[in-house]
Amino acid sequence: MEVTLKIFRYNPEKDKKPSYKTYKLEAVETDRVLDLLEKVKGYQDGTLSFRRSCAHGICGSDAMRINGMNRLACKTLVRDVGTRITVEPILGLRVIKDLIVDMEPFFDNYKKVMPWFINNDPPPEKERLQSPEARLRFDDTTKCILCACCTTSCPSFWGSDEYLGPAAFVNAHRFIFDDRDQAAAERLKIVNEVMGVSRCHTVFNCTLACPREIQITKAIGELKMALVTGVLS
Amino acid sequence: MKPRTVSFTQRGFDFETFMWFFTRVSALVMYALALTGLVGALIMGARTQMNLADLMRWVFTPNVTHVQNTNVPDLAPWTTSFWKLVASAFVFFATSHGLHGLLSVIEDYLTLPWLRRTLRILVLLLTLFMIFVGVYLIWTS
Ligand code: SF4
Ligand code: SF4
Ligand code: FES
């Protein structure tokens, strides 16, 4: 089948403003959008720029807007989106070139929630034991691959990139509800701030966008409840 | 196993989060107030003395002006302090709930700090003014 691929193109060093370029190419319905982009770059237009690494939905580097939805190009099949496909960079972050955006504000917000394990007790001889139930409490949010599909689909983040954003909340949730961690209070304080969870209006865009199918809005709801009640388990 | 908790002082107070919580609670409170108005009106004879539109007006603000043009024979039970309190509570919760919603919209769409601050103060003044006028009218009408 023939696929029409309309791609957002912008090179700030040369172009005055962004434009769209259309490419036609042969594809099968099980091709991924990433395969199509590789074909365009390899055979039609070497100047096309995009990020990708693993090509298996685990590194989180190829988040883009495909027919208006934030998705990973490597997890989106032609079958899922049809033969007319528009590909654009994710929203709310500065475009560096074509489909590549500046991820710094995203990672800055991520770092704010201290996304690392904190426990000042002397480490036990073997390992810090945890019950299966306690592990299950935050299982969902361990799956995040930091692709930014969620945060860049969130209207609150479009309004201000100081808004911590769903990805930061997901990673805060991952440690706050881990009973081996000791910095829950500090992290709760951070997500409680002016540009924190109260800016989330439960729009559910993030949950729809997450390629790992994390129940993000639910996790944010749990953070809000923890802030109100103080109960973590 | 005892539940893990974080004390209030540890997690800190934030006005925005407090207002988020207040907005949820005030919605529930308004349901309760509306139900109070409805049940109260029915007990006072609204079923035969009022049409649905008048009843609804009473339910959302139990103020005696909303019963004056109906077939209610005696206005006395509708003008007690209890109903004035319910109406005042309604004005307080509806105004603060609604105007905080307006504030959220403003803060989501405006990025200029000085404009945000100005509108923030304006919304606060508007809230206080509307609550004052509403409560004043209820107790003097
Ligand atoms: S649910 Fe909250 S965080 Fe998720 S997209 Fe909506 S506003 Fe953003
Ligand atoms: S929560 Fe989902 S959408 Fe957001 S960064 Fe993590 S994997 Fe991506
Ligand atoms: S290329 Fe790694 S997630 Fe798509």
Side-chain angles (χ1 to χ4, degrees), chain A:
Chain A
M1 65 170 86
E2 192 187 64
V3 172
T4 311
L5 202 58
K6 190 172 142 194
I7 305 178
F8 175 100
R9 300 300 308 269
Y10 183 44
N11 179 355
E13 284 170 15
K14 289 210 331 244
D15 308 335
K16 274 216 190 75
K17 54 183 198 319
S19 60
Y20 287 84
K21 257 195 179 161
T22 306
Y23 305 88
K24 287 190 186 303
L25 58 165
E26 272 306 309
V28 293
E29 59 166 22
T30 48
D31 273 340
R32 301 164 306 169
V33 172
L34 183 63
D35 299 323
L36 306 183
L37 292 173
E38 298 277 22
K39 264 193 207 164
V40 169
K41 188 171 173 70
Y43 298 101
Q44 296 192 20
D45 187 344
T47 64
L48 176 66
S49 305
F50 54 91
R51 284 198 186 100
R52 68 106 179 81
S53 180
C54 70
H56 286 89
I58 209 64
C59 73
S61 53
D62 62 341
M64 44 191 83
R65 243 177 331 141
I66 302 173
N67 286 356
M69 292 263 294
N70 282 4
R71 295 160 176 263
L72 296 178
C74 64
K75 273 188 93 171
T76 308
L77 303 184
V78 171
R79 179 166 74 198
D80 302 332
V81 288
T83 52
R84 301 181 65 84
I85 306 170
T86 307
V87 184
E88 298 159 293
I90 44 181
L91 284 173
L93 295 167
R94 185 178 60 88
V95 174
I96 296 176
K97 186 167 183 280
D98 299 338
L99 303 172
I100 298 179
V101 297
D102 177 9
M103 297 282 280
E104 275 317 307
F106 173 79
F107 284 115
D108 285 346
N109 285 348
Y110 168 62
K111 284 178 223 153
K112 280 186 199 150
V113 303
M114 306 190 292
W116 52 83
F117 183 70
I118 299 174
N119 186 327
N120 295 324
D121 296 343
E125 217 170 286
K126 271 194 182 157
E127 57 193 316
R128 294 180 201 273
L129 289 176
Q130 183 168 50
S131 72
E133 299 77 46
R135 173 62 177 72
L136 208 59
R137 184 69 192 84
F138 59 96
D139 185 64
D140 202 32
T141 45
T142 60
K143 299 186 300 192
C144 176
I145 56 172
L146 294 171
C147 64
C149 276
C150 55
T151 297
T152 58
S153 74
C154 173
S156 297
F157 182 74
W158 299 336
S160 163
D161 63 17
E162 288 189 12
Y163 170 55
L164 283 176
F169 297 141
V170 161
N171 288 282
H173 181 285
R174 183 254 169 269
F175 290 101
I176 288 172
F177 290 97
D178 184 339
D179 66 353
R180 299 163 302 177
D181 187 274
Q182 293 175 340
E186 258 173 279
R187 292 196 185 91
L188 276 178
K189 224 179 201 147
I190 295 164
V191 300
N192 195 9
E193 279 169 4
V194 176
M195 283 295 181
V197 286
S198 60
R199 294 267 123 216
C200 164
H201 304 313
T202 350
V203 185
F204 278 92
N205 276 11
C206 53
T207 306
L208 289 176
C210 181
R212 305 284 293 164
E213 287 166 18
I214 298 173
Q215 298 301 307
I216 304 174
T217 313
K218 180 165 168 258
I220 298 175
E222 290 173 4
L223 288 175
K224 288 172 175 170
M225 279 318 279
L227 278 173
V228 172
T229 63
V231 180
L232 295 183
S233 36

Side-chain angles (χ1 to χ4, degrees), chain B residues 61-63 83-85 87-88 91 133-141:
Chain B
T61 317
N63 188 10
W83 288 121
K84 289 191 175 177
L85 274 176
S88 306
V91 166
V133 170
V135 172
Y136 179 81
L137 287 177
I138 288 167
W139 289 87
T140 52
S141 62

